[in-house]
Amino acid sequence: MRSFIGAECDTDHYLVIAKVRERLAVGKQATQRLDRHRFNVSKLKELEVRKQYQVENTNRFAALETLNVDEDVNRIWGNIKHNIQISAKESLGMHEWKQHKPWFDEEC
């Protein structure tokens, strides 16, 4: 902001010029939360679920041992990642996000 005292405006007021910058606040958590899928890892504390997860992983990786070694590394990594995700989804399930009550209701 700056005032110009010498500007001739035919009044007793001074000329003022201001630059206004505005930033829009975007919630990062809200945008990231939609894309994120989490597995319910707390189920691994239970012995039965842990054993089931281990058995599913060993069965899936037993099939991967027959793959050709000369394959692309990125493709092999994609297969490993896909197998881990499928076995986790089947044995652990997905983590459910808590639904918060709205703080502003009809009574307000």
Side-chain angles (χ1 to χ4, degrees), residues 1-7 13-18:
M1 185 153 83
R2 186 170 177 196
S3 64
F4 293 93
I5 299 172
H13 298 286
Y14 297 125
L15 181 65
V16 176
I17 296 178

Side-chain angles (χ1 to χ4, degrees), residues 55-82:
V55 167
E56 286 185 19
N57 268 342
T58 54
N59 291 342
R60 291 190 184 277
F61 284 109
L64 284 179
E65 289 179 4
T66 60
L67 290 177
N68 189 5
V69 180
D70 297 333
E71 273 192 71
D72 184 30
V73 174
N74 292 327
R75 186 174 180 160
I76 294 173
W77 166 245
N79 288 338
I80 292 171
K81 180 180 174 184
H82 181 70

Side-chain angles (χ1 to χ4, degrees), residues 1-103:
M1 185 153 83
R2 186 170 177 196
S3 64
F4 293 93
I5 299 172
E8 200 57 44
C9 297
D10 198 29
T11 180
D12 58 346
H13 298 286
Y14 297 125
L15 181 65
V16 176
I17 296 178
K19 290 184 181 180
V20 178
R21 286 188 241 166
E22 185 174 327
R23 293 184 187 175
L24 297 176
V26 178
K28 292 180 182 178
Q29 295 174 351
T31 57
Q32 292 175 355
R33 189 178 304 158
L34 297 175
D35 298 338
R36 197 180 303 170
H37 299 287
R38 289 189 179 178
F39 298 111
N40 194 0
V41 184
S42 62
K43 282 188 177 180
L44 287 174
K45 294 178 183 176
E46 301 172 14
L47 186 62
E48 298 170 2
V49 176
R50 187 182 320 150
K51 285 185 179 181
Q52 178 187 0
Y53 178 68
Q54 288 173 348
V55 167
E56 286 185 19
N57 268 342
T58 54
N59 291 342
R60 291 190 184 277
F61 284 109
L64 284 179
E65 289 179 4
T66 60
L67 290 177
N68 189 5
V69 180
D70 297 333
E71 273 192 71
D72 184 30
V73 174
N74 292 327
R75 186 174 180 160
I76 294 173
W77 166 245
N79 288 338
I80 292 171
K81 180 180 174 184
H82 181 70
N83 286 333
I84 291 174
Q85 286 177 345
I86 289 176
S87 62
K89 189 181 288 186
E90 289 176 0
S91 61
L92 303 177
M94 301 304 285
H95 176 73
E96 296 180 12
W97 295 99
K98 293 181 182 178
Q99 296 292 331
H100 297 287
K101 295 179 184 178
W103 63 273

